[in-house]
Amino acid sequence: MRIAVYPGSFDPVTRGHFDIIERASRLFDRLVVVVLVNPDKRPVFSAEERVLFIERITAGIENVEVDSFDGLLADYFKEKGATAVVKGLRAMSDFEYEFQMALINKQINPEMETLFLNTSGEYMYLSSSIVRQLASFGGDVSSFIPAEIRDEIVERLRKAGE
Ligand code: ADP
C-alpha cells in the first residue's frame, strides 16, 4: 500500500490545495492530508475547523483521509508508514524553502522522499495568505475557495478582518 502525506497549514484550504489533493490521490493508494499545527503561526481557523473543511471538500474522493498533527513531520511520516511526502510548487519562490525542507527530512529519515507536484497554471498566484488578506479588506475571494465551503469561509474571514 503506497501512502502519501500532504502537509500544510491550509488556513484556509484553497482550490490550489484541492487541485494538488485530487491529482496526488490518483498517484497513490491512499493520501493523508495533514494539517500541521505550527506554533509560530496564529491561524484564523482552528486545526479542527481546517480538518473539517478539508473533509467536506474531499468527501467524494475515496482514498483521501484528513488528519492534524502537532509535531515533527518526520515522526508523523513514520507513524503512518508513508512512502512519500507530496508538496505543491507554485513559483520559483516556493522552491528554495521546499527544497531545504525536503533535504532536511531526507537527512532525518533517508526513506522520506518528497514529491513535488507543479501547480496548475490557473492557481499559480493563489495562496491562503493572499485569500486571508483580500477577504479582510472585503475583496471577493469566492473563486479561490471550493464551492462547498465558500460561504462559511468568506463570512469568517470577513469577520476576522473587522
Ligand atoms: P499557503 O499558505 O502557501 O497556501 P500551505 O502551507 O497551506 O500554504 O500549503 C501547503 C502546500 O500546498 C505547500 O506545498 C504549498 O506549496 C502548496 N500549495 C499552496 N497553494 C498552492 C497552489 N495554488 N498550487 C499548488 N500548490 C499549492
Side-chain angles (χ1 to χ4, degrees):
M1 170 99 105
R2 296 201 172 266
I3 301 170
V5 171
Y6 176 34
S9 308
F10 306 107
D11 187 37
V13 66
T14 68
R15 289 178 69 189
H17 295 130
F18 183 72
D19 173 62
I20 298 290
I21 294 173
E22 244 189 341
R23 288 160 58 205
S25 73
R26 284 187 232 121
L27 299 175
F28 291 89
D29 299 312
R30 195 142 64 94
L31 177 71
V32 187
V33 182
V34 59
V35 172
L36 290 184
V37 180
N38 181 345
D40 296 339
K41 287 188 190 168
R42 280 195 55 228
V44 174
F45 299 95
S46 70
E48 294 74 25
E49 284 177 300
R50 286 177 272 159
V51 166
L52 285 173
F53 283 131
I54 304 168
E55 276 176 352
R56 275 165 61 189
I57 64 171
T58 57
I61 315 176
E62 215 177 277
N63 62 340
V64 171
E65 174 190 321
V66 191
D67 197 5
S68 66
F69 186 68
D70 180 358
L72 200 60
L73 183 63
D75 292 335
Y76 186 81
F77 185 87
K78 209 167 171 187
E79 185 186 308
K80 281 281 155 186
T83 307
V85 175
V86 165
K87 302 247 57 189
L89 269 192
R90 280 159 295 195
M92 285 304 288
S93 52
D94 278 340
F95 181 76
E96 208 170 327
Y97 176 74
E98 297 294 356
F99 190 55
Q100 182 184 17
M101 289 309 295
L103 290 178
I104 287 177
N105 284 332
K106 186 100 177 140
Q107 186 80 34
I108 297 172
N109 176 359
E111 286 177 16
M112 202 166 168
E113 291 293 350
T114 301
L115 184 75
F116 293 108
L117 285 184
N118 62 293
T119 180
S120 296
E122 60 208 290
Y123 303 126
M124 179 96 190
Y125 56 86
L126 190 51
S127 71
S128 297
S129 56
I130 282 285
V131 166
R132 290 196 303 271
Q133 202 173 37
L134 255 175
S136 72
F137 291 115
D140 181 10
V141 296
S142 50
S143 60
F144 305 145
I145 306 288
E148 301 93 320
I149 57 173
R150 185 175 293 158
D151 293 349
E152 269 165 76
I153 291 206
V154 168
E155 176 66 13
R156 282 285 305 280
L157 288 175
R158 197 184 53 76
K159 279 196 181 142
E162 279 173 4

